[in-house]
């Protein structure tokens, strides 16, 4: 449940944020190069460093993140020791880093759209929403689905971010269960193999759904 919830929530939010970032970067404005660097920079941060940043940020007596969240009434006094709070922190950390990846792939799709289509739509009197719905979204959808596919597979295998932020005991994912069964005190290899196979099976089902949807969408476009 933790793994599926993490994958669904993180990919959904990252898709929305990444699309917004890509849409901004696709416009012509002064300083776009620096904005692009600022958006892409989190993606270059290694996972362990990313986890340590948020670990220190939400340490009760070290970082200011806990005080802010407590003031908002969201977190308890020690959020990294609470499963719900730690889950939210890991979500925030993953969104901060991976939305840039979504933005890069979606931006590639946006820049492949023929600009003359927008000129024709403006002459025809189409509103900005109509241009987005009839031109931008259909033509960017293949790139969007590919980005979502890669992010979903990555989210289903989440381990390093959890272990370096709150620990697998607080937020247990499927990969955490495999590692614990393999290298924990019990060393139950059969259980590790079973969980690993189940994880691969779930990822395979998700990929199959994406592939079928992508095929139908591509066929509809052409």
């Amino acid at each position: 449940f933790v793994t599926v919830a993490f994958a669904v929530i993180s990919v959904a939010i990252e898709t929305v944020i990444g699309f917004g970032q890509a849409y901004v970067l696709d416009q012509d404005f002064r300083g776009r190069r620096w904005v692009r660097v600022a958006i892409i920079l989190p993606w270059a941060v290694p996972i362990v460093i990313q986890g340590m940043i948020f670990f220190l940020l939400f340490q009760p007596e070290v970082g200011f993140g806990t005080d802010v969240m407590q003031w908002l009434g969201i977190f308890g006094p020690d959020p990294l020791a609470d499963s719900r709070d730690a889950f939210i922190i890991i979500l925030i950390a993953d969104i901060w880093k991976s939305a840039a990846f979504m933005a890069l792939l979606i931006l590639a799709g946006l820049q492949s759209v023929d600009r003359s289509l927008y000129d024709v739509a403006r002459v025809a009197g189409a509103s900005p929403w109509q241009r987005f719905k009839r031109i931008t979204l259909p033509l960017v959808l293949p790139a969007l689905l590919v980005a979502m596919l890669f992010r979903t597979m990555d989210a289903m295998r989440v381990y390093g971010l959890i272990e370096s932020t709150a620990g697998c005991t607080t937020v247990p994912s499927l990969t955490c269960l495999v590692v614990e069964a393999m290298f924990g005190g019990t060393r139950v290899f059969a259980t590790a193999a079973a969980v690993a196979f189940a994880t691969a099976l779930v990822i395979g089902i998700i990929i199959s759904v994406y592939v079928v949807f992508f095929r139908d969408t591509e066929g509809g476009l052409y």
Side-chain angles (χ1 to χ4, degrees), residues 177-222:
L177 293 179
V178 174
V179 174
E180 177 62 26
M182 283 287 294
F183 303 106
T186 56
R187 299 178 67 85
V188 185
F189 298 112
T191 301
V195 177
F197 178 79
T199 306
L201 181 63
V202 172
I203 293 175
I205 293 172
I206 294 173
I207 294 174
S208 300
V209 172
Y210 270 109
V211 169
V212 170
F213 187 41
F214 175 73
R215 181 190 63 191
D216 294 343
T217 302
E218 189 176 28
L221 287 175
Y222 299 102

Side-chain angles (χ1 to χ4, degrees), residues 34-190:
W34 299 108
V35 174
R36 182 174 296 184
V37 170
I39 290 176
I40 297 175
L41 186 60
W43 179 248
V45 177
I47 292 178
V48 175
I49 302 301
Q50 171 197 10
M52 291 305 300
I53 289 173
F54 282 85
F55 172 79
L56 295 173
L57 182 63
F58 288 97
Q59 277 294 309
E61 298 181 359
V62 177
F64 63 87
T66 302
D67 295 334
V68 173
M69 289 300 190
Q70 276 190 293
W71 181 74
L72 293 174
I74 299 176
F75 285 173
D78 190 3
L80 291 175
D82 181 83
S83 295
R84 183 190 69 87
D85 295 348
F87 180 80
I88 295 174
I89 292 171
I90 291 169
L91 270 178
I92 295 172
D94 188 71
I95 292 167
W96 172 75
K97 177 181 173 66
S98 301
F101 173 76
M102 300 290 286
L104 284 175
L105 293 185
I106 297 170
L107 178 62
L110 284 173
Q111 293 186 337
S112 67
V113 177
D114 187 355
R115 304 295 167 170
S116 64
L117 296 174
Y118 295 109
D119 297 332
V120 173
R122 289 190 189 94
V123 172
S127 65
W129 168 247
Q130 289 173 326
R131 293 196 297 268
F132 175 80
K133 182 179 179 182
R134 300 295 183 181
I135 299 175
T136 304
L137 187 58
L139 294 179
V140 176
L141 191 56
L144 180 64
L145 288 175
V146 170
M148 292 177 64
L149 172 60
F150 281 115
R151 274 302 305 137
T152 301
M153 290 191 297
D154 195 38
M156 289 294 297
R157 304 194 305 265
V158 62
Y159 170 74
L161 179 59
I162 293 177
E163 184 63 25
S164 59
T165 305
C168 287
T169 304
T170 307
V171 183
S173 67
L174 287 173
T175 307
C176 284
L177 293 179
V178 174
V179 174
E180 177 62 26
M182 283 287 294
F183 303 106
T186 56
R187 299 178 67 85
V188 185
F189 298 112

